[in-house]
Amino acid sequence: MNIGIDIMGGDYAPEEAIKGVISYLKSISDQEEDIHFVLIGNPDIAGPYLAALEQWEGSYTLIPSASVIGMHEHPTKALKEKQDSSIAIGFGLLQMGKIDAFIGAGNTGAMLVGAMYTVKAIPGVLRPTIASPIPKLNGRYNFLLDVGANADCKPEHLVQFAVMGSLYAKHVLDLDNPRVALLNLGEEEGKGNILAQATYPLLKQHSGINFTGNVEGRDLFLDNSDVIVCEGFTGNVALKIAESVYHIFAEQKKIQDPFLDQFNFEIYGGTPILGVNAPVLIGHGISNQPAFKSMIENAVKLVKSNFTQILHNHFAEKAEA
Amino acid sequence: MNIGIDIMGGDYAPEEAIKGVISYLKSISDQEEDIHFVLIGNPDIAGPYLAALEQWEGSYTLIPSASVIGMHEHPTKALKEKQDSSIAIGFGLLQMGKIDAFIGAGNTGAMLVGAMYTVKAIPGVLRPTIASPIPKLNGRYNFLLDVGANADCKPEHLVQFAVMGSLYAKHVLDLDNPRVALLNLGEEEGKGNILAQATYPLLKQHSGINFTGNVEGRDLFLDNSDVIVCEGFTGNVALKIAESVYHIFAEQKKIQDPFLDQFNFEIYGGTPILGVNAPVLIGHGISNQPAFKSMIENAVKLVKSNFTQILHNHFAEKAEA
């Protein structure tokens, strides 16, 4: 398989992206040598760092890019104007099937828009979504979605998030019969805003998921669910509060605790875009070597598990039904 | 002034409510003796605890109630059926002007519905709201509203929350020119769901508040604002995540930290209902002596500052304009 990486994306590009590739290559055995990296970046800038890849020169190809989309550029505008950017070239390769997955830690909006305009949404998927793992006190994670791609949602969107989150938890996170919960302001059925009230019965009657009811904000870090569904406005606020808990207690107050360690994004690397026609992983802007390695592992798992095809099959069946 | 207290409300009723009254009475000087307590409760149950109030027997009156609205009863139904309950009697007294403020730590929904059906919303106030203080790292608080009373909101509701929160911060919390922010998923103007996008320009052009722009989930515990406005769904999720931070780090992990100490609801006591025709304070179900004392102090401050009249004047001017 071919894993494409935007080595110009992120605050520590291209060094940490390339180090992540090396770290991954060192970790795998010979049997897995069918993994080939397609690195997209500026040869002049990346050149010195690529020297470290010398012993794996058969394991990667450098595709030259001329420009970079900055972290604060307008996604749609930047993608249109910078067709020679690493993100635009990456999605072009993904669309042509030259790579099987695309990883980037650059402009999140551009990654999302790029995915939507090139490989596009899987037929039947109304709204591709971005998910994020939230650490639980017991050492596991809640998989929260949507976390910002879809600020306004309808009940049918939340139902699809529930399905995609559940399939991801099952096939990629290896969870058996993952518990899917609806984020709400109360536990009881009937609680919520209009969206949550309308979504609850749809989730309850859905045969394809293990819906376990509502969870509240206080359940975010608890093991009362495996997948938590909400619209992207509340999900984004919840994610950023969770991230601030890490900044406050681990980084500022220097408190050492296994629960806080789990917040370290290096462990889980990046955030998948669920519902598009190829595996796409978005990394934090501050992604470093372990984060890139994690994203590569995740991308390999997404490709090997045929996750895109699993979603395809699910939504194709739904369309026929 | 007459301060009414539902001494049957809360997990530790009536003992802690009565202890809170004693604690307050001990703390005030003779000059403030014009404060009279109207305690609403079952004489048989409260009797033994009232003995401790012997030396202040001129400072309180017991109004007997026969029933209690349980924590999990349906608010509207319970209020209709249990007119002899402490909450129903308390709001009756408030409506008749026999008490100047009402404090209760019982069923939150019943307190809210009771306020709406008896003293009612201030003319011009579209939606009374419940606010909650959120600790900041610098030792102060963000005043977050709405935190659950209004799960679905329109821009004009959020604007009124901003005005009421700002007036509360100024007149009750003694903040000079309080900074009002909109909770959003990004910092820049134009970000957000439809509600936030439509609310931003209304807040920006409002002459009566010091609007400082958007804040994100990561700003909840930071000193980038004094008042944070959102609809009650996201506000409730945010509040409960914040509360869970206290449970996890202070109660479970026994971490001692001044920031965590601030989460202790005993410090701020209860949550005001803003926008109704009299001061009403809702306490946590687990309210104890210090929490009741704080709520009494808060109620006294609300009455002394003439806060209800301040809101009245503001919204009356708006209606005329």
Side-chain angles (χ1 to χ4, degrees), chain B residues 179-207:
Chain B
R179 295 161 296 170
V180 179
L182 177 66
L183 187 60
N184 209 327
L185 48 67
E187 281 183 5
E188 302 87 352
E189 184 171 355
K191 289 272 182 178
N193 55 10
I194 293 170
L195 175 64
Q197 286 180 17
T199 303
Y200 191 105
L202 301 181
L203 293 174
K204 193 178 175 183
Q205 73 191 36
H206 198 291
S207 60

Side-chain angles (χ1 to χ4, degrees), chain A residues 21 65 71 84 86 142 157 194 229 240 242 246 305 309 318:
Chain A
V21 171
S65 62
M71 293 306 252
D84 58 358
S86 47
N142 267 314
H157 301 145
I194 293 170
V229 175
K240 285 177 180 166
Y246 176 74
S305 69
Q309 192 58 46
K318 287 280 154 184

Side-chain angles (χ1 to χ4, degrees), chain B residues 10-287:
Chain B
D11 297 348
Y12 308 121
E15 185 172 6
E16 295 296 320
I18 292 168
K19 280 186 175 172
V21 171
I22 293 170
S23 177
Y24 179 79
L25 285 167
K26 281 182 178 168
S27 75
I28 60 168
S29 66
D30 289 343
Q31 288 83 42
E32 294 170 286
E33 268 184 4
D34 63 327
I35 293 167
H36 188 85
F37 287 96
V38 177
L39 309 181
I40 305 128
N42 184 314
D44 296 333
I45 299 170
Y49 303 103
L50 289 171
L53 267 169
E54 200 177 15
Q55 67 176 107
W56 295 281
E57 62 175 359
S59 295
Y60 83 95
T61 308
L62 178 72
I63 302 289
S65 63
S67 66
V68 175
I69 295 176
M71 294 306 251
H72 295 289
E73 288 192 64
H74 187 278
T76 316
K77 190 165 170 280
L79 276 170
K80 192 179 281 181
E81 291 172 3
K82 293 185 172 177
Q83 297 194 8
D84 58 0
S85 65
S86 48
I87 291 182
I89 291 171
F91 278 112
L93 295 170
L94 193 64
Q95 190 176 14
M96 290 185 289
K98 305 270 186 188
I99 56 176
D100 301 297
F102 183 43
I103 294 167
N107 184 312
T108 300
M111 288 294 290
L112 192 62
V113 171
M116 294 296 289
Y117 280 82
T118 57
V119 292
K120 295 189 173 70
I122 287 170
V125 172
L126 301 166
R127 299 273 197 94
T129 172
I130 300 182
S132 183
I134 305 284
K136 296 182 203 175
L137 280 169
N138 70 346
R140 305 187 68 98
Y141 287 88
N142 268 314
F143 195 64
L144 178 71
L145 71 172
D146 180 276
V147 294
N150 302 285
D152 290 286
C153 290
K154 292 180 178 171
E156 53 267 37
H157 302 144
L158 266 57
V159 172
Q160 290 202 342
F161 299 165
V163 169
M164 292 192 282
S166 178
L167 289 171
Y168 185 86
K170 190 176 172 185
H171 294 283
V172 183
L173 305 178
D174 299 322
L175 285 177
D176 188 37
N177 201 25
R179 295 161 296 170
V180 179
L182 177 66
L183 187 60
N184 209 327
L185 48 67
E187 281 183 5
E188 302 87 352
E189 184 171 355
K191 289 272 182 178
N193 55 10
I194 293 170
L195 175 64
Q197 286 180 17
T199 303
Y200 191 105
L202 301 181
L203 293 174
K204 193 178 175 183
Q205 73 191 36
H206 198 291
S207 60
I209 56 169
N210 174 21
F211 179 58
T212 53
N214 292 322
V215 291
E216 301 179 54
R218 66 168 62 98
D219 300 303
L220 190 65
F221 304 121
L222 302 182
D223 190 31
N224 296 329
S225 53
D226 299 304
V227 175
I228 300 179
V229 176
C230 60
E231 30 68 36
F233 187 87
T234 306
N236 185 274
V237 168
L239 171 63
K240 285 176 179 165
I241 297 174
E243 289 178 342
S244 80
V245 168
Y246 176 74
H247 291 305
I248 290 169
F249 290 99
E251 294 183 345
Q252 288 188 38
K253 297 188 181 288
K254 309 285 183 200
I255 288 169
Q256 303 228 332
D257 188 276
F259 172 59
L260 289 171
D261 293 342
Q262 280 173 261
F263 279 88
N264 194 331
F265 68 94
E266 293 173 1
I267 297 172
Y268 55 85
T271 300
I273 305 179
L274 299 179
V276 292
N277 272 306
V280 178
L281 284 158
I282 306 179
H284 284 246
I286 51 165
S287 287

